Structures are given as C-alpha cells and as structure tokens.
C-alpha cells in the first residue's frame, strides 16, 4: 500500500444527478463551435437493419439516431459512475448514508424533475427517472 492512500474496502457506484465536472464539460462543449467529424463503426447487417427500422419509425436518419443514442448512453455512464477508494470507517459511514435516503422535500422533488442541461428545450427530463432503488 502506498503512503497516504487508504486501503480500498469497496468500489461504490452512485448516481449524483449532475456532477459539476460533467456539467462543466457539457457547457464548454456547447460553447465551442466545432466542425462535424466522422465517426465510423462496423455493424452486422441485422444490427444495421434494426437501427434503420427504429430510426425510420422516428423519422430520423441512421446517423442522427445512432449519434443521439450513443450520446445518451455516454451521458448516463459519466453521470452514474464514480469510483471511491475509502478506508473501512469511511466506507461504513458512506454506506450508512446510502442506506438512509433523504426525506422527500419540495426542493428534492424540483431537483429530480429538473430538465437536464443537454435536453432540448422543448423536451423535459422524464420525471422520476433514477438509477435504481436506493431504499430497502
């Protein structure tokens, strides 16, 4: 074990809503006028056909459909996954906090119903969307 680093007792994955780092990256990306780039992938014919069928149902091109789906998944991964290295006491304290979710308040309700900054202005975030059950 390296000096100054805690022993790792658990890897904790959590959903913090929006982290400041992700929010800042998104705002910076929006502010920078970037020219389009090409992203190439290989797919099997059945996968392409499935994507085309779904894109067609939404009236979207294959590229638009795939880019939106990939960006949505990337946002979910960045927002939902964080690694913590904690010693035994801090891990127990953190687990105790997770086991006692906050009481519902108007402020919490407003936060959970807030529109994500990357969502189009005419589309609100899905109310009640969470990463999973927090209570027992």
């Amino acid at each position: 074990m390296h000096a100054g680093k805690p022993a790792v007792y658990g890897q904790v994955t959590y959903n913090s809503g929006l982290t400041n780092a992700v929010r800042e990256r998104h705002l910076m990306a929006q502010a920078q006028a970037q020219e389009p780039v090409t992203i190439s992938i290989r797919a099997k014919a059945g996968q392409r056909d499935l994507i085309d069928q779904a894109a067609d149902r939404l009236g979207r091109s294959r590229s638009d459909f795939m880019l939106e789906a990939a960006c949505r998944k990337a946002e979910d991964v960045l927002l939902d996954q964080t690694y913590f290295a904690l010693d035994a006491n801090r891990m127990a304290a953190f687990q105790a906090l997770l086991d006692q979710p906050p009481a519902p308040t108007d402020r919490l309700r407003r936060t959970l119903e807030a529109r994500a900054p990357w969502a189009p202005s005419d589309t609100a975030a899905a109310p009640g969307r969470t990463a999973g059950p927090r209570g027992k």
Side-chain angles (χ1 to χ4, degrees):
M1 180 166 67
H2 295 7
K5 289 190 177 184
V8 177
Y9 285 90
Q11 179 174 340
V12 180
T13 302
Y14 80 110
N15 181 320
S16 66
L18 287 175
T19 64
N20 287 335
V22 172
R23 183 183 302 123
E24 288 174 19
R25 279 194 298 260
H26 174 72
L27 293 175
M28 286 179 12
Q30 277 187 329
Q32 297 172 347
Q34 295 181 353
E35 298 208 12
V37 296
T38 300
I39 301 173
S40 299
I41 63 170
R42 295 191 185 279
K44 296 177 181 168
Q47 293 171 315
R48 181 204 55 216
D49 294 345
L50 176 65
I51 292 166
D52 286 349
Q53 183 180 9
D56 187 54
R57 293 241 177 120
L58 295 177
R60 310 283 303 272
S61 69
R62 180 190 305 150
S63 293
D64 287 345
F65 181 84
M66 291 176 67
L67 187 57
E68 181 182 336
C71 286
R72 185 174 36 244
K73 181 64 176 178
E75 290 162 354
D76 287 347
V77 167
L78 293 174
L79 292 173
D80 290 346
Q81 307 247 336
T82 299
Y83 177 79
F84 291 87
L86 302 171
D87 62 31
N89 290 338
R90 289 185 177 158
M91 183 65 187
F94 185 75
Q95 188 64 47
L97 290 172
L98 291 177
D99 289 341
Q100 298 174 8
T105 64
D106 287 337
R107 182 177 179 186
L108 178 60
R109 203 173 308 23
R110 283 192 310 271
T111 300
L112 292 173
E113 293 173 353
R115 183 181 64 83
W118 58 82
S121 59
D122 60 315
T123 305
R129 181 175 178 228
T130 62
R134 287 188 48 168
K136 289 186 177 182

